Amino acid sequence: MFHAGDLRFGAVICFEDTVPDLYRHFVEGDVDFMVNVTNDAWFKTSPAAEMHLANAVFRAVESHRPLIRASNNGVTCIISEHGVIRAQCAPFAKGSLSFDLPLPNDRAQTFYTRHGDVFVGTCAAVSVVAIGLAAFRRNRLQSPL
């Protein structure tokens, strides 16, 4: 966690914003916003830079924290905690971005921030039990008496 005056922020580099568990640990530290500095130049003109941006939008919503994203040749932008891209520079263009960063009044942590992948684990466990029961019933119905 870093400080800028009274504000606290977390910083992820390049593709670290695609690792939800890493990202959420910064938010657990009660940051006001997140920063992502990334090098998307190696994507060239493929749609991968846009996919990386879409992932960043998801992280902002998932953590309920605004995200400042600086990219050398991808999309430099400000993403609200609701996933709205508020300001943006075009990819592969020289420029800078000046903005007022609106911070959410409510810094409550989301379910995912507090509990991580417990929901995913629960869904996986329920699926395994359901598949096991279905297989058991199928075998029981097919076996001769």
Side-chain angles (χ1 to χ4, degrees):
M1 181 172 35
F2 303 94
H3 295 272
D6 292 338
L7 299 176
R8 297 174 302 257
F9 67 95
V12 290
I13 300 169
C14 204
F15 263 78
E16 289 179 344
D17 69 340
T18 64
V19 183
D21 196 51
L22 174 68
Y23 198 96
R24 82 179 185 88
H25 285 301
F26 282 105
V27 180
E28 279 181 321
D30 202 27
V31 297
D32 297 300
F33 62 96
M34 290 293 293
V35 174
N36 175 228
V37 180
T38 186
N39 173 8
D40 285 350
W42 61 283
F43 290 138
K44 300 194 188 268
T45 58
S46 79
E50 290 297 321
M51 290 189 287
H52 192 195
L53 172 62
N55 190 79
V57 169
F58 191 78
R59 287 288 93 75
V61 172
E62 176 181 76
S63 65
H64 193 64
R65 295 296 185 274
L67 172 62
I68 300 171
R69 186 170 191 267
S71 177
N72 63 338
N73 280 333
V75 178
T76 294
C77 62
I78 308 306
I79 305 169
S80 78
E81 70 276 15
H82 301 293
V84 177
I85 298 176
R86 296 188 181 270
Q88 157 176 354
C89 292
F92 297 103
K94 290 182 180 181
S96 62
L97 191 60
S98 178
F99 60 90
D100 289 326
L101 180 65
L103 298 175
N105 293 329
D106 175 23
R107 286 201 341 243
Q109 294 185 351
T110 63
F111 180 87
Y112 181 76
T113 300
R114 289 190 314 269
H115 304 290
D117 290 326
V118 72
F119 179 73
V120 174
T122 301
C123 289
V126 168
S127 296
V128 167
V129 168
I131 290 169
L133 287 174
F136 175 76
R137 285 186 54 167
R138 181 176 173 209
N139 288 340
R140 190 168 175 211
L141 292 173
Q142 289 180 351
S143 64
L145 296 174

